[in-house]
Structure formats: structure tokens, C-alpha cells
């Protein structure tokens, strides 16, 4: 008969055998996310308090900056541009808010990251709307660029996409293709978010490890393709405007550069941290 004793040992009656139970090691679990208590214990009292304090202060600072901008926009922007401007400038506040939530609820980090990507995808769509509004519409943009001006549509991150024309004039259909590539991001990410949560609740998705049998791998590929296609459309608007020095009166180059840097830094930061973690560049430190 096998008995589990109070000191976590297995005893087999009738034999002089006693086997210790193997303790759970979170560091050996691929894709394991610590609980709030485990994270706090691993960092220690000083580290945990500092992390949460700075996270909260960062959010409060970004929120204060945002409300200053809201007050400024409210009396100086037309109604057509007010909504896009509010969405775009709220990105930094939302980043800090979701980061704070991730610190408070580490196991929800994947869900919060996908939810944030939906939000940023929506803001990218509003940036495109604001760009076309500055031009005065699709026809005005074509006229500013020039109907006989040939453009290359094989731009990063789709440099090797041979289905895109290498030299072709700007037309309304191409502008709509660029717009659609950006607009699809929040819809695709929302679908993937719902699918991923449904699979996790059903027990079909465990860790986020790469495997042919893990649905998470295919969802990640779909999200990557959607993001790359959307970035291509947004960056095409940036490149066309900057190349021909258009919309200089709106200081568009500065605004588009800030938007581009924000998107690149956030996504590459996540990619670098995930790669370092996967290959041991960031060591796991179990709680006490």
C-alpha cells in the first residue's frame, strides 16, 4: 500500500522504501508564467515594491500627459480629426497601463499583449485616416504624388514579396490596398485572441512552446503575417509622403517617425526578450 506522509514522502507498506516526491520546478516548464506571489518572492520585498511603484508612476505620468493633450486637442482640432488624434496619442498611456496589468497579473500577459496589439492596430488605422484627411482624400493624394510617377511597392517589410509591383503609378486601388492592409490588423488580432482564449479554456493550448501539434504556433504565424502586412501598408504611406516631401505644413515627417519608432521598438523589444528567454539569455529565478 502506498501512503503519502505529511513530510511529502511516499511510503510503501511492507517495505523499507521511502521515495521523496519531486518538487514542482517552474523554471523547467516551457512557457510557464509566474503568479503575482511568485514574482514578488523572486524579486524580494525591495525589488517587488520598486517594480510596482515605478509601474504605477509611469502610468500616472503618461495619463497626465494624455489628458493635457486632450485638453489641447479639444479646442483646436476639427471634429473629423479629433477622434483619430485622441486614439493615436493614447498609445503611450495604454502601453503603460497594460504593462502595469502584466506586472499585477503575470499569467495574463499573453492575453494583455494580444489585446494591446488590437488597440495599436486600431490606432494605426486612425493614423491612415488622418493622413488621407490631411491630403484631402485619395484623389488629392494621387494628384500631389503625380499620376505619372512610378513607385516601388516592394518596401520593408515586404521587400521580397514578388506579387507586389516594383514600378507602378499610384492609383485609388493601390491606396485602398494599403488602407485594407492596415485596417485588417485589429480584426485579425481580435479573431486570434478569441480563438486562443477559447482553445485555452477548452484545454487544447497549454504552453506557448513551438510545436507542429500546438495550435498556438499556427496562431502566432497568422498574427505575424497580419502584422507584417499591416506594417507594410502603414510604412508605404510614410515612405510616399516623406520621399516627395508632402504634408510638410503638418510636420508629418516628425509624427510618422515617432509612430514608426513606437511600433518597431515595442514589437522588437518583445521579440528580443522572448528569444533571450527561449535560449537561456535570461535566467529563471524561482521564488522561495
Amino acid at each position: 500500500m502506498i501512503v503519502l506522509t505529511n513530510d511529502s514522502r511516499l511510503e510503501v507498506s511492507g517495505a523499507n522504501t521511502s521515495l521523496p516526491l519531486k518538487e514542482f520546478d517552474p523554471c523547467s516548464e516551457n512557457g510557464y508564467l509566474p503568479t503575482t506571489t511568485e514574482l514578488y518572492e523572486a524579486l524580494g520585498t525591495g525589488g517587488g515594491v520598486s517594480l510596482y511603484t515605478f509601474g504605477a508612476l509611469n502610468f500616472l505620468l503618461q495619463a497626465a500627459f494624455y489628458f493635457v493633450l486632450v485638453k489641447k486637442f479639444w479646442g483646436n482640432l476639427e471634429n473629423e480629426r479629433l477622434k483619430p488624434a485622441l486614439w493615436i496619442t493614447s498609445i503611450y498611456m495604454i502601453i503603460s497601463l497594460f504593462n502595469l496589468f502584466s506586472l499585477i497579473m503575470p499569467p495574463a500577459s499573453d492575453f494583455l499583449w494580444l489585446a494591446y496589439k488590437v488597440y495599436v492596430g486600431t490606432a494605426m488605422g486612425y493614423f491612415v485616416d488622418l493622413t488621407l484627411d490631411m491630403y484631402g482624400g485619395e484623389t488629392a493624394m494621387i494628384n500631389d504624388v503625380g499620376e505619372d510617377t512610378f513607385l516601388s511597392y516592394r518596401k520593408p517589410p515586404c521587400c521580397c514579396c514578388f506579387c507586389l509591383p516594383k514600378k507602378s503609378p499610384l492609383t485609388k486601388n493601390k491606396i485602398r490596398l494599403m488602407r485594407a492592409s492596415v485596417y485588417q490588423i485589429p480584426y485579425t488580432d481580435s479573431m486570434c485572441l478569441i480563438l486562443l482564449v477559447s482553445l485555452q479554456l477548452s484545454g487544447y493550448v497549454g504552453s506557448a512552446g513551438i510545436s507542429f501539434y500546438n495550435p498556438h504556433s499556427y496562431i502566432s504565424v497568422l498574427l505575424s503575417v497580419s502584422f507584417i502586412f499591416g506594417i507594410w501598408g502603414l510604412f508605404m504611406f510614410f515612405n510616399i509622403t516623406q520621399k516627395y516631401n508632402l504634408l510638410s505644413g503638418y510636420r508629418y515627417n516628425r509624427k510618422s517617425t515617432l509612430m514608426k519608432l513606437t511600433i518597431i521598438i515595442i514589437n522588437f523589444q518583445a521579440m528580443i526578450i522572448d528569444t533571450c528567454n527561449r535560449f537561456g539569455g535570461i535566467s529563471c529565478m524561482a521564488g522561495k
Side-chain angles (χ1 to χ4, degrees), residues 50-270:
S50 300
L51 185 65
Y52 293 126
T53 300
F54 282 115
L57 289 176
N58 179 46
F59 166 68
L60 292 175
L61 181 63
Q62 296 297 332
F65 286 152
Y66 178 66
F67 285 114
V68 170
L69 289 174
V70 170
K71 185 178 179 181
K72 183 177 180 180
F73 291 157
W74 205 267
N76 297 294
L77 289 180
E78 302 87 346
N79 292 333
E80 295 78 11
R81 297 182 182 179
L82 180 60
K83 186 176 180 181
L86 294 178
W87 268 91
I88 295 166
T89 53
S90 68
I91 290 179
Y92 306 101
M93 181 184 68
I94 298 300
I95 291 174
S96 60
L97 178 62
F98 279 23
N99 283 339
L100 181 60
F101 284 163
S102 295
L103 294 175
I104 298 173
M105 301 171 288
S109 296
D110 288 342
F111 174 84
L112 291 169
W113 171 244
L114 278 177
Y116 166 73
K117 291 186 72 174
V118 173
Y119 191 93
V120 172
T122 305
M124 289 167 58
Y126 277 117
F127 200 100
V128 170
D129 290 341
L130 191 60
T131 299
L132 286 173
D133 184 71
M134 291 176 182
Y135 273 110
E138 296 175 351
T139 303
M141 181 178 180
I142 295 172
N143 292 333
D144 289 345
V145 174
E147 296 182 0
D148 298 327
T149 302
F150 285 81
L151 305 173
S152 174
Y153 295 87
R154 296 180 189 177
K155 295 293 185 180
C158 296
C159 303
C160 300
C161 189
F162 297 106
C163 60
L164 296 172
K166 190 173 183 179
K167 286 186 178 181
S168 180
L170 185 65
T171 63
K172 287 187 177 182
N173 286 336
K174 292 187 178 68
I175 292 177
R176 289 165 187 171
L177 174 63
M178 294 187 296
R179 295 177 68 181
S181 69
V182 179
Y183 292 158
Q184 58 80 28
I185 291 181
Y187 296 100
T188 304
D189 288 0
S190 297
M191 180 188 69
C192 290
L193 179 61
I194 294 171
L195 181 60
L196 183 61
V197 171
S198 300
L199 289 171
Q200 286 179 337
L201 292 175
S202 302
Y204 291 106
V205 175
S207 66
I210 299 175
S211 170
F212 285 109
Y213 304 101
N214 190 348
H216 192 282
S217 301
Y218 300 98
I219 294 175
S220 298
V221 171
L222 180 58
L223 286 169
S224 298
V225 172
S226 169
F227 176 74
I228 290 173
F229 191 42
I231 287 295
W232 168 81
L234 184 65
F235 284 9
M236 278 300 301
F237 280 103
F238 293 168
N239 292 334
I240 292 172
T241 306
Q242 291 174 359
K243 182 177 180 179
Y244 297 100
N245 195 28
L246 304 173
L247 304 181
S248 57
Y250 294 101
R251 291 184 290 184
Y252 185 85
N253 289 349
R254 182 185 301 179
K255 296 172 183 176
S256 61
T257 300
L258 288 173
M259 186 72 173
K260 184 185 295 187
L261 288 175
T262 300
I263 295 171
I264 290 176
I265 290 174
I266 291 173
N267 286 276
F268 272 89
Q269 172 185 275

